[in-house]
Amino acid sequence: MELLIPGLIIIGLLLALLTFGVPIAFALAAAGIVGLVMERPWRGIEFLLSTFAYANTAHFAYVVLPLFLFMGHMAFSAGLSRRAFQLGQQLLGRLPGGLAAATIVGCAAFSTICGSSVATASTMAKVALPEMLRHGYKQRLAAGCVAAGGTLGVLIPPSGILVIYSIITQVSLLKLFLAAFIPGLFTAIVYIAGIWLMVKRDPSLAGPPVTERYTWRQNGRAFVQSWEVLLLFAAVTGTIYLGIATPTEAAALGAFFALMAVLRRPGRWKNLGDGLRETGSATCSIFALIIGAGLFSLGLSTTQFPTHLATMAAGLDLSPTMMIVLILLPYLILGMFLDGISMILITMPIVFPIVTHVGFDPILFGLLVTKAVEIGAITPPVGLNAFVVKSAAPELSLSEVFRGCVPFVFMELFIVAVMIGFPDLSLFLVRD
């Protein structure tokens, strides 16, 4: 136990700084520097700090992050989320809970061009919520499907969390994106099936059924009108899966086509300026977190804390699956309070050595952590996605938003259990 004390001091300092409201990036950096001071001479630390920020971020592969962020902003400004929802509405609107199912389709489609859970939930709240409430949907179903549908934004590629996970753990981003597609599609299908069952059981949740019928020609026209969404999907996800482009090249293609979509619309220059500012601000924040997390990881590893912890975990004589389940449980709690990127950066230096030590597949672990993070984001009492939906639609009751999220939490737990029980669901696309 004595071997763990220096590492526990660093973690305790980090938690104390976060409790006092210190920004996460600075708290991580400060805790890491304290760890270095405990184990190394100051002269070496001074040289390290003078070069660390540049050395830790000057990698061409990191260009993918601002490109995906910019693409998401441009796609939102171009109104592509509305096109995706309208397509889902025409295809599924007449089913029990059809508008809620269409919202999931819209979230899934928008997720292929936006790697953020919060952005997906916020965007679809503005697009889909008014339509569902106008058709008599109960607040809890309307809000719950938007908050839960937003979680698809960080599982279906391009996923911001998977990009950060790849940067921190050095796991192949291409393989993570390949592996994430089937679980993302499976999640959307489970959501739609769950909504259908809920409305079948209690038809009042969805109000009067939608009676408008669409011909094959009208549905075909809706697909044609959604050509920009389909083009972005092909440019990003399609080129990655077909091996035509690397994730960085695909991100550049997606950013270019999203920019072209914005430039075709009124208010183009304002939208472009807003997108550049927001992308720059978000990129700076994320890179500050990456630098802070790098110092925290370095300070923690200097104390040998991850190695000692991994050795102790191996001594528990648990199966790799049981070990991963125990590791995932805290994420369900942390997700109520922290955004996914911060959570990955804070925890990965501690838990990833254990994962590799017990021999669990790091690609599957990345997907499971992503799912656990997002379950926390729709879990009462502080689920971030629920608050995002509430802020986008102030007329909603927060208690109703959380009530609507509860069934989706159970669906998510079922999906996680399937992913753990049948790992080939996630890994067969990346098997050698």
Side-chain angles (χ1 to χ4, degrees), residues 73 275-285:
H73 286 305
L276 288 171
R277 278 192 297 272
E278 291 177 19
T279 300
S281 175
T283 301
C284 290
S285 299

Side-chain angles (χ1 to χ4, degrees), residues 109-125:
F110 191 65
S111 295
T112 65
I113 53 178
C114 174
S116 166
S117 167
V118 168
T120 303
S122 176
T123 300
M124 295 308 298

Side-chain angles (χ1 to χ4, degrees), residues 327-365:
I327 290 174
L328 291 176
L329 288 176
Y331 284 96
L332 302 179
I333 300 171
L334 290 172
M336 302 177 192
F337 307 99
L338 294 173
D339 65 278
I341 290 176
S342 299
M343 209 179 319
I344 295 292
L345 292 169
I346 290 171
T347 60
M348 216 42 63
I350 301 169
V351 303
F352 193 70
I354 300 175
V355 174
T356 55
H357 192 80
V358 301
F360 196 83
D361 190 287
I363 296 173
L364 180 57
F365 179 69

Side-chain angles (χ1 to χ4, degrees), residues 8 34 43 96 126 128 141 153 179 207 244 246 253 353 364 367 369 417:
L8 292 173
V34 169
R43 186 175 296 276
K126 297 170 186 173
L141 177 58
I244 298 172
T246 66
L253 278 173
L364 180 57
L367 302 183
V369 165

Side-chain angles (χ1 to χ4, degrees), residues 212-277:
E212 188 173 0
R213 292 178 177 272
Y214 296 95
T215 65
W216 285 102
R217 177 174 295 180
Q218 288 174 314
N219 288 334
R221 189 179 299 121
F223 269 104
V224 172
Q225 290 173 345
S226 302
W227 68 270
E228 290 165 317
V229 178
L230 300 175
L231 177 62
L232 274 175
F233 174 77
V236 180
T237 309
T239 56
I240 290 175
Y241 288 130
L242 293 175
I244 298 172
T246 66
T248 305
E249 293 165 344
L253 278 173
F256 173 76
F257 286 127
L259 174 61
M260 292 300 101
V262 165
L263 294 180
R264 294 176 59 250
R265 287 167 168 77
R268 58 182 69 88
W269 300 118
K270 181 182 183 302
N271 289 331
L272 176 59
D274 291 344
L276 288 171
R277 278 192 297 272

